[in-house]
Amino acid sequence: MIDDRPVLDDHLHLDPDNNRGIDAVRDFARVGGTHLLVVNKPSWHLGVEAETGEDFRAVFERTIEIVDDASSELAGRAWPVLGVHPGLISRLVDDRGVSPEDARDLMQAGLDVAAEYVESGEALALKSGRPHYEVDDDVWAASNAVMRHAFEHGAALECAVQLHAEASEDMTEVADWAEDAGLPSRRVVKHYAGGRLEGPTPSVMSNKDRLETAAERGEPFLMETDYIDDPDRPGAVLGPKTVPRRVRWLLENGHDEAVRIAHVETPRRVYGIDTEATLERDG
Ligand SMILES: [Zn+2]
């Protein structure tokens, strides 16, 4: 551990089909990582071509299983974040000839199933969003409707919603949609964020330049690697040791307060989790 501190990676994926996933957790723990939010991989990466909301259940169950395994490797613990990857809409519309409206309904039904796991306490938060690339207007409208459906669940369940969305430093409109649904904007987390963001809480990719911006800003933020994510962004993700290493680097550069914000205060504010109480400090 790093000075008995909790160190949280707010967004990564573990491959449930082989032990590479758990090896990544061991690498993370060996260099001082203590807590993980594990997001289910896109359903099609697991060979699931969903036709109903129920078809997502296998994806969620496999993620929950590997999160249990991950927790046993950590001085802290891991939690699952479950949802439907927004890129699915393009696979449905472009590859399978599904209408945007039917794609919307299917993705919302998948979120309904994810919400069941949050309600039962098996998952911590939901994952939604909208394509980070240009799409037709009707696909964009359907994607926004899916995201707003996730906000309704987040409001009802009082849980956070992680978003995969376009690169932006101003997502106040989206934060307003969450507030309209009854979900406080602080509980909306933009994954793969830069160091500066208006609206949702940024989950900052742990590159030094992005972290420096976030640390100097002094606002709530989280740190992530997006380890093993989408093949449409090859090479864009960071390795599982990155967050602990960057925590050391921030501390060496006098950013103690930012480390506390990212690993204690913001996790509590966004997810209601206590990364200190869930840490075994037995040396
Ligand atoms: Zn991801």
Side-chain angles (χ1 to χ4, degrees):
M1 257 184 275
I2 304 171
D3 306 335
D4 278 351
R5 290 170 186 274
V7 172
L8 168 74
D9 189 329
D10 182 61
H11 181 117
L12 94 172
H13 308 269
L14 298 174
D15 190 333
D17 292 328
N18 60 49
N19 281 328
R20 193 178 56 190
I22 288 301
D23 286 345
V25 176
R26 292 191 182 122
D27 283 351
F28 172 74
R30 196 176 302 125
V31 294
T34 62
H35 293 78
L36 293 172
L37 295 197
V38 180
V39 183
N40 64 264
K41 295 190 80 177
S43 47
W44 62 94
H45 290 195
L46 299 180
V48 172
E49 294 294 348
E51 294 179 1
T52 69
E54 283 298 315
D55 292 341
F56 291 92
R57 198 175 290 281
V59 176
F60 301 151
E61 296 279 355
R62 285 151 87 188
T63 305
I64 289 167
E65 280 170 22
I66 198 165
V67 166
D68 286 341
D69 294 343
S71 281
S72 61
E73 301 288 336
L74 296 169
R77 59 163 294 183
W79 289 271
V81 175
L82 302 181
V84 177
H85 194 286
L88 178 59
I89 199 161
S90 298
R91 289 187 64 87
L92 293 169
V93 172
D94 298 344
D95 301 349
R96 281 168 53 189
V98 176
S99 73
E101 293 72 25
D102 287 348
R104 173 199 65 203
D105 292 349
L106 172 58
M107 293 169 73
Q108 290 181 343
L111 284 166
D112 293 344
V113 174
E116 290 178 24
Y117 291 92
V118 176
E119 187 163 29
S120 69
E122 291 174 273
L124 179 67
L126 295 173
K127 159 84 186 289
S128 184
R130 61 187 182 188
H132 64 272
Y133 45 86
E134 289 287 320
V135 293
D136 291 343
D137 288 349
D138 51 356
V139 171
W140 188 247
S143 297
N144 281 323
V146 172
M147 182 167 61
R148 296 180 79 156
H149 188 71
F151 293 157
E152 287 168 10
H153 278 301
L157 295 164
E158 297 186 337
C159 77
V161 177
Q162 283 198 7
L163 299 181
H164 170 112
E166 73 279 10
S168 174
E169 292 189 346
D170 184 353
M171 293 193 71
T172 48
E173 183 184 36
V174 168
D176 288 346
W177 292 347
E179 295 273 355
D180 290 347
L183 178 67
S185 59
R186 71 171 193 280
R187 287 189 175 266
V188 179
V189 176
K190 183 183 190 294
H191 121 80
Y192 214 89
R196 188 181 293 110
L197 179 66
E198 299 302 325
T201 300
S203 181
V204 178
M205 272 297 275
S206 295
N207 305 107
K208 286 184 178 178
D209 55 342
R210 294 186 187 211
L211 291 177
E212 195 139 55
T213 301
E216 286 170 3
R217 187 165 171 255
E219 297 288 322
F221 76 103
L222 297 151
M223 289 171 61
E224 69 165 68
T225 56
D226 199 19
Y227 175 66
I228 320 187
D229 198 15
D230 319 338
D232 61 340
R233 292 183 300 181
V237 304
L238 301 169
K241 296 177 185 171
T242 308
V243 167
R245 285 179 169 166
R246 293 290 187 264
V247 165
R248 283 182 205 277
W249 173 78
L250 285 167
L251 293 170
E252 284 162 13
N253 287 279
H255 288 302
D256 296 55
E257 182 56 24
V259 169
R260 190 173 164 77
I261 287 173
H263 299 277
V264 178
E265 290 171 16
T266 308
R268 181 184 296 133
R269 170 186 162 87
V270 171
Y271 301 106
I273 58 177
D274 189 333
T275 55
E276 292 181 312
T278 49
L279 188 60
E280 289 174 42
R281 292 181 169 104
D282 57 9

Short mmCIF file of all heavy atoms in Angstrom, two decimals, residues 176-219:
data_model
loop_
_atom_site.label_atom_id
_atom_site.label_comp_id
_atom_site.label_asym_id
_atom_site.label_seq_id
_atom_site.Cartn_x
_atom_site.Cartn_y
_atom_site.Cartn_z
N ASP A 176 -27.96 18.55 -16.61
CA ASP A 176 -29.31 19.09 -16.38
C ASP A 176 -30.37 18.01 -16.62
O ASP A 176 -31.37 17.95 -15.90
CB ASP A 176 -29.58 20.28 -17.30
CG ASP A 176 -28.80 21.53 -16.88
OD1 ASP A 176 -28.26 21.55 -15.76
OD2 ASP A 176 -28.71 22.46 -17.70
N TRP A 177 -30.16 17.17 -17.61
CA TRP A 177 -31.11 16.07 -17.86
C TRP A 177 -31.17 15.14 -16.65
O TRP A 177 -32.23 14.63 -16.29
CB TRP A 177 -30.70 15.26 -19.10
CG TRP A 177 -30.82 16.01 -20.39
CD1 TRP A 177 -31.47 17.20 -20.60
CD2 TRP A 177 -30.29 15.60 -21.66
NE1 TRP A 177 -31.35 17.55 -21.92
CE2 TRP A 177 -30.64 16.60 -22.60
CE3 TRP A 177 -29.55 14.52 -22.09
CZ2 TRP A 177 -30.28 16.53 -23.94
CZ3 TRP A 177 -29.19 14.43 -23.42
CH2 TRP A 177 -29.55 15.42 -24.34
N ALA A 178 -30.00 14.89 -16.06
CA ALA A 178 -29.98 14.03 -14.86
C ALA A 178 -30.76 14.69 -13.73
O ALA A 178 -31.61 14.05 -13.09
CB ALA A 178 -28.53 13.77 -14.44
N GLU A 179 -30.50 15.97 -13.53
CA GLU A 179 -31.22 16.69 -12.47
C GLU A 179 -32.72 16.68 -12.73
O GLU A 179 -33.52 16.50 -11.81
CB GLU A 179 -30.70 18.14 -12.37
CG GLU A 179 -29.24 18.26 -11.94
CD GLU A 179 -29.04 18.28 -10.42
OE1 GLU A 179 -30.04 18.30 -9.69
OE2 GLU A 179 -27.86 18.26 -9.98
N ASP A 180 -33.11 16.84 -14.00
CA ASP A 180 -34.54 16.79 -14.36
C ASP A 180 -35.16 15.46 -13.97
O ASP A 180 -36.34 15.38 -13.62
CB ASP A 180 -34.73 17.00 -15.87
CG ASP A 180 -34.43 18.42 -16.31
OD1 ASP A 180 -34.32 19.30 -15.44
OD2 ASP A 180 -34.29 18.63 -17.54
N ALA A 181 -34.37 14.39 -14.07
CA ALA A 181 -34.87 13.06 -13.73
C ALA A 181 -34.84 12.81 -12.22
O ALA A 181 -35.33 11.77 -11.76
CB ALA A 181 -34.04 11.99 -14.44
N GLY A 182 -34.21 13.73 -11.47
CA GLY A 182 -34.12 13.56 -10.03
C GLY A 182 -32.80 12.98 -9.56
O GLY A 182 -32.65 12.62 -8.39
N LEU A 183 -31.83 12.89 -10.49
CA LEU A 183 -30.50 12.37 -10.15
C LEU A 183 -29.53 13.55 -10.00
O LEU A 183 -29.32 14.29 -10.95
CB LEU A 183 -30.01 11.44 -11.27
CG LEU A 183 -28.61 10.83 -11.11
CD1 LEU A 183 -28.57 9.86 -9.94
CD2 LEU A 183 -28.19 10.12 -12.40
N PRO A 184 -28.94 13.74 -8.81
CA PRO A 184 -28.00 14.86 -8.64
C PRO A 184 -26.84 14.73 -9.64
O PRO A 184 -26.32 13.64 -9.85
CB PRO A 184 -27.50 14.68 -7.20
CG PRO A 184 -28.52 13.84 -6.51
CD PRO A 184 -29.10 12.95 -7.58
N SER A 185 -26.46 15.86 -10.23
CA SER A 185 -25.44 15.81 -11.29
C SER A 185 -24.11 15.28 -10.78
O SER A 185 -23.33 14.73 -11.55
CB SER A 185 -25.26 17.18 -11.93
OG SER A 185 -24.87 18.12 -10.97
N ARG A 186 -23.84 15.41 -9.49
CA ARG A 186 -22.58 14.88 -8.96
C ARG A 186 -22.52 13.36 -9.09
O ARG A 186 -21.44 12.78 -9.12
CB ARG A 186 -22.38 15.28 -7.50
CG ARG A 186 -23.29 14.57 -6.52
CD ARG A 186 -22.92 14.82 -5.05
NE ARG A 186 -23.64 13.90 -4.18
CZ ARG A 186 -24.90 14.06 -3.79
NH1 ARG A 186 -25.59 15.11 -4.19
NH2 ARG A 186 -25.48 13.16 -3.01
N ARG A 187 -23.70 12.71 -9.20
CA ARG A 187 -23.74 11.25 -9.33
C ARG A 187 -23.61 10.79 -10.78
O ARG A 187 -23.68 9.60 -11.06
CB ARG A 187 -25.03 10.70 -8.71
CG ARG A 187 -25.02 10.74 -7.19
CD ARG A 187 -26.23 10.00 -6.63
NE ARG A 187 -26.18 9.92 -5.18
CZ ARG A 187 -25.66 8.89 -4.51
NH1 ARG A 187 -25.16 7.86 -5.14
NH2 ARG A 187 -25.66 8.90 -3.19
N VAL A 188 -23.49 11.75 -11.69
CA VAL A 188 -23.20 11.40 -13.09
C VAL A 188 -21.69 11.51 -13.28
O VAL A 188 -21.09 12.54 -12.99
CB VAL A 188 -23.93 12.36 -14.05
CG1 VAL A 188 -23.62 12.00 -15.50
CG2 VAL A 188 -25.42 12.33 -13.79
N VAL A 189 -21.08 10.43 -13.75
CA VAL A 189 -19.62 10.36 -13.87
C VAL A 189 -19.28 10.22 -15.35
O VAL A 189 -19.74 9.28 -16.01
CB VAL A 189 -19.07 9.14 -13.11
CG1 VAL A 189 -17.56 9.01 -13.32
CG2 VAL A 189 -19.41 9.24 -11.63
N LYS A 190 -18.50 11.17 -15.86
CA LYS A 190 -18.04 11.01 -17.25
C LYS A 190 -16.72 10.26 -17.25
O LYS A 190 -15.70 10.78 -16.79
CB LYS A 190 -17.85 12.35 -17.95
CG LYS A 190 -17.45 12.14 -19.41
CD LYS A 190 -17.18 13.43 -20.13
CE LYS A 190 -17.03 13.18 -21.62
NZ LYS A 190 -15.84 12.38 -21.96
N HIS A 191 -16.78 9.03 -17.75
CA HIS A 191 -15.56 8.23 -17.83
C HIS A 191 -14.71 8.71 -19.01
O HIS A 191 -15.19 9.37 -19.91
CB HIS A 191 -15.97 6.74 -17.89
CG HIS A 191 -15.53 5.99 -19.07
ND1 HIS A 191 -14.25 5.49 -19.18
CD2 HIS A 191 -16.17 5.61 -20.18
CE1 HIS A 191 -14.16 4.83 -20.33
NE2 HIS A 191 -15.30 4.89 -20.96
N TYR A 192 -13.40 8.42 -18.94
CA TYR A 192 -12.45 8.83 -19.99
C TYR A 192 -12.39 10.36 -20.10
O TYR A 192 -12.26 10.93 -21.19
CB TYR A 192 -12.83 8.21 -21.33
CG TYR A 192 -11.65 7.86 -22.20
CD1 TYR A 192 -11.05 6.61 -22.10
CD2 TYR A 192 -11.12 8.76 -23.11
CE1 TYR A 192 -9.96 6.28 -22.89
CE2 TYR A 192 -10.03 8.45 -23.90
CZ TYR A 192 -9.46 7.21 -23.79
OH TYR A 192 -8.38 6.87 -24.57
N ALA A 193 -12.49 11.03 -18.96
CA ALA A 193 -12.55 12.50 -18.97
C ALA A 193 -11.15 13.11 -19.01
O ALA A 193 -10.16 12.47 -18.65
CB ALA A 193 -13.29 13.00 -17.73
N GLY A 194 -11.12 14.36 -19.44
CA GLY A 194 -9.92 15.18 -19.30
C GLY A 194 -9.89 15.74 -17.88
O GLY A 194 -10.69 15.37 -17.03
N GLY A 195 -8.95 16.64 -17.62
CA GLY A 195 -8.80 17.14 -16.26
C GLY A 195 -9.80 18.20 -15.88
O GLY A 195 -9.89 18.61 -14.72
N ARG A 196 -10.59 18.65 -16.85
CA ARG A 196 -11.51 19.77 -16.59
C ARG A 196 -12.84 19.41 -17.20
O ARG A 196 -12.91 18.98 -18.35
CB ARG A 196 -10.94 21.01 -17.29
CG ARG A 196 -11.62 22.31 -17.00
CD ARG A 196 -10.99 23.47 -17.76
NE ARG A 196 -9.64 23.77 -17.32
CZ ARG A 196 -8.53 23.55 -18.03
NH1 ARG A 196 -8.62 23.01 -19.24
NH2 ARG A 196 -7.34 23.84 -17.56
N LEU A 197 -13.93 19.57 -16.41
CA LEU A 197 -15.25 19.24 -16.94
C LEU A 197 -16.32 20.01 -16.17
O LEU A 197 -16.29 20.02 -14.95
CB LEU A 197 -15.51 17.72 -16.80
CG LEU A 197 -16.89 17.23 -17.29
CD1 LEU A 197 -17.03 17.40 -18.80
CD2 LEU A 197 -17.09 15.75 -16.90
N GLU A 198 -17.25 20.60 -16.91
CA GLU A 198 -18.41 21.25 -16.30
C GLU A 198 -19.60 20.30 -16.40
O GLU A 198 -19.84 19.73 -17.47
CB GLU A 198 -18.75 22.57 -17.01
CG GLU A 198 -17.65 23.61 -16.97
CD GLU A 198 -17.24 23.99 -15.56
OE1 GLU A 198 -18.12 24.02 -14.66
OE2 GLU A 198 -16.04 24.24 -15.34
N GLY A 199 -20.33 20.14 -15.30
CA GLY A 199 -21.51 19.28 -15.31
C GLY A 199 -21.31 18.04 -14.46
O GLY A 199 -21.37 18.10 -13.23
N PRO A 200 -21.05 16.90 -15.10
CA PRO A 200 -20.85 15.66 -14.34
C PRO A 200 -19.51 15.67 -13.59
O PRO A 200 -18.67 16.54 -13.78
CB PRO A 200 -20.83 14.57 -15.44
CG PRO A 200 -21.43 15.22 -16.64
CD PRO A 200 -21.09 16.66 -16.54
N THR A 201 -19.31 14.64 -12.77
CA THR A 201 -18.02 14.42 -12.11
C THR A 201 -17.07 13.76 -13.11
O THR A 201 -17.42 12.75 -13.71
CB THR A 201 -18.20 13.50 -10.89
OG1 THR A 201 -19.11 14.10 -9.98
CG2 THR A 201 -16.87 13.24 -10.20
N PRO A 202 -15.87 14.31 -13.31
CA PRO A 202 -14.95 13.69 -14.26
C PRO A 202 -14.20 12.50 -13.66
O PRO A 202 -13.68 12.58 -12.55
CB PRO A 202 -13.97 14.82 -14.60
CG PRO A 202 -13.99 15.72 -13.42
CD PRO A 202 -15.35 15.59 -12.78
N SER A 203 -14.19 11.38 -14.40
CA SER A 203 -13.33 10.25 -14.08
C SER A 203 -12.15 10.38 -15.04
O SER A 203 -12.26 10.08 -16.23
CB SER A 203 -14.07 8.94 -14.27
OG SER A 203 -13.24 7.84 -13.95
N VAL A 204 -11.06 10.88 -14.54
CA VAL A 204 -9.97 11.38 -15.38
C VAL A 204 -9.04 10.23 -15.80
O VAL A 204 -8.59 9.45 -14.97
CB VAL A 204 -9.17 12.46 -14.60
CG1 VAL A 204 -8.00 12.97 -15.43
CG2 VAL A 204 -10.11 13.62 -14.23
N MET A 205 -8.80 10.14 -17.10
CA MET A 205 -7.80 9.19 -17.60
C MET A 205 -6.45 9.58 -16.99
O MET A 205 -6.07 10.74 -17.00
CB MET A 205 -7.71 9.25 -19.12
CG MET A 205 -8.68 8.33 -19.81
SD MET A 205 -8.39 6.57 -19.47
CE MET A 205 -7.15 6.21 -20.71
N SER A 206 -5.72 8.56 -16.50
CA SER A 206 -4.56 8.85 -15.65
C SER A 206 -3.28 9.15 -16.43
O SER A 206 -2.22 8.59 -16.14
CB SER A 206 -4.37 7.70 -14.67
OG SER A 206 -5.49 7.65 -13.80
N ASN A 207 -3.39 10.02 -17.40
CA ASN A 207 -2.20 10.60 -18.04
C ASN A 207 -1.75 11.77 -17.16
O ASN A 207 -2.57 12.45 -16.57
CB ASN A 207 -2.53 11.15 -19.43
CG ASN A 207 -3.18 10.12 -20.32
OD1 ASN A 207 -4.37 10.21 -20.58
ND2 ASN A 207 -2.43 9.15 -20.76
N LYS A 208 -0.44 12.00 -17.13
CA LYS A 208 0.08 13.04 -16.23
C LYS A 208 -0.53 14.42 -16.50
O LYS A 208 -0.89 15.14 -15.58
CB LYS A 208 1.60 13.12 -16.34
CG LYS A 208 2.29 11.94 -15.65
CD LYS A 208 3.81 12.10 -15.71
CE LYS A 208 4.48 10.94 -14.96
NZ LYS A 208 5.96 11.02 -15.03
N ASP A 209 -0.66 14.77 -17.78
CA ASP A 209 -1.16 16.12 -18.07
C ASP A 209 -2.61 16.29 -17.62
O ASP A 209 -2.98 17.32 -17.04
CB ASP A 209 -0.99 16.47 -19.55
CG ASP A 209 -1.62 15.45 -20.48
OD1 ASP A 209 -1.90 14.31 -20.03
OD2 ASP A 209 -1.85 15.78 -21.66
N ARG A 210 -3.43 15.27 -17.84
CA ARG A 210 -4.83 15.36 -17.41
C ARG A 210 -4.93 15.43 -15.89
O ARG A 210 -5.73 16.19 -15.33
CB ARG A 210 -5.61 14.15 -17.90
CG ARG A 210 -5.75 14.07 -19.41
CD ARG A 210 -6.67 12.93 -19.80
NE ARG A 210 -6.69 12.70 -21.24
CZ ARG A 210 -7.73 12.24 -21.92
NH1 ARG A 210 -8.86 11.96 -21.28
NH2 ARG A 210 -7.69 12.05 -23.22
N LEU A 211 -4.12 14.62 -15.21
CA LEU A 211 -4.16 14.60 -13.74
C LEU A 211 -3.68 15.90 -13.14
O LEU A 211 -4.23 16.38 -12.15
CB LEU A 211 -3.32 13.44 -13.20
CG LEU A 211 -3.87 12.04 -13.48
CD1 LEU A 211 -2.90 11.00 -12.95
CD2 LEU A 211 -5.25 11.85 -12.85
N GLU A 212 -2.66 16.47 -13.75
CA GLU A 212 -2.15 17.74 -13.23
C GLU A 212 -3.22 18.82 -13.31
O GLU A 212 -3.43 19.58 -12.37
CB GLU A 212 -0.92 18.16 -14.05
CG GLU A 212 -0.12 19.24 -13.39
CD GLU A 212 1.38 18.97 -13.54
OE1 GLU A 212 1.82 18.82 -14.70
OE2 GLU A 212 2.07 18.91 -12.52
N THR A 213 -3.96 18.84 -14.44
CA THR A 213 -5.04 19.80 -14.58
C THR A 213 -6.10 19.58 -13.51
O THR A 213 -6.55 20.52 -12.85
CB THR A 213 -5.68 19.66 -15.98
OG1 THR A 213 -4.68 19.87 -16.97
CG2 THR A 213 -6.81 20.65 -16.18
N ALA A 214 -6.49 18.33 -13.32
CA ALA A 214 -7.53 18.01 -12.33
C ALA A 214 -7.07 18.36 -10.92
O ALA A 214 -7.82 18.92 -10.12
CB ALA A 214 -7.90 16.53 -12.41
N ALA A 215 -5.80 18.03 -10.61
CA ALA A 215 -5.28 18.27 -9.26
C ALA A 215 -5.24 19.76 -8.96
O ALA A 215 -5.58 20.20 -7.85
CB ALA A 215 -3.89 17.65 -9.12
N GLU A 216 -4.83 20.54 -9.94
CA GLU A 216 -4.71 21.98 -9.70
C GLU A 216 -6.06 22.67 -9.66
O GLU A 216 -6.22 23.72 -9.06
CB GLU A 216 -3.77 22.60 -10.74
CG GLU A 216 -2.33 22.22 -10.41
CD GLU A 216 -1.33 22.57 -11.49
OE1 GLU A 216 -1.73 23.17 -12.50
OE2 GLU A 216 -0.15 22.21 -11.31
N ARG A 217 -7.06 22.04 -10.26
CA ARG A 217 -8.40 22.62 -10.29
C ARG A 217 -9.05 22.54 -8.90
O ARG A 217 -9.84 23.41 -8.52
CB ARG A 217 -9.23 21.85 -11.32
CG ARG A 217 -10.59 22.38 -11.63
CD ARG A 217 -11.11 21.73 -12.92
NE ARG A 217 -12.50 22.04 -13.18
CZ ARG A 217 -13.51 21.18 -13.00
NH1 ARG A 217 -13.28 19.97 -12.53
NH2 ARG A 217 -14.76 21.54 -13.26
N GLY A 218 -8.75 21.49 -8.15
CA GLY A 218 -9.26 21.40 -6.78
C GLY A 218 -10.69 20.94 -6.65
O GLY A 218 -11.25 20.93 -5.57
N GLU A 219 -11.33 20.56 -7.76
CA GLU A 219 -12.73 20.11 -7.75
C GLU A 219 -12.77 18.59 -7.61
O GLU A 219 -11.77 17.91 -7.84
CB GLU A 219 -13.40 20.51 -9.07
CG GLU A 219 -13.49 22.00 -9.32
CD GLU A 219 -14.51 22.68 -8.43
OE1 GLU A 219 -15.57 22.08 -8.17
OE2 GLU A 219 -14.22 23.80 -7.95
#
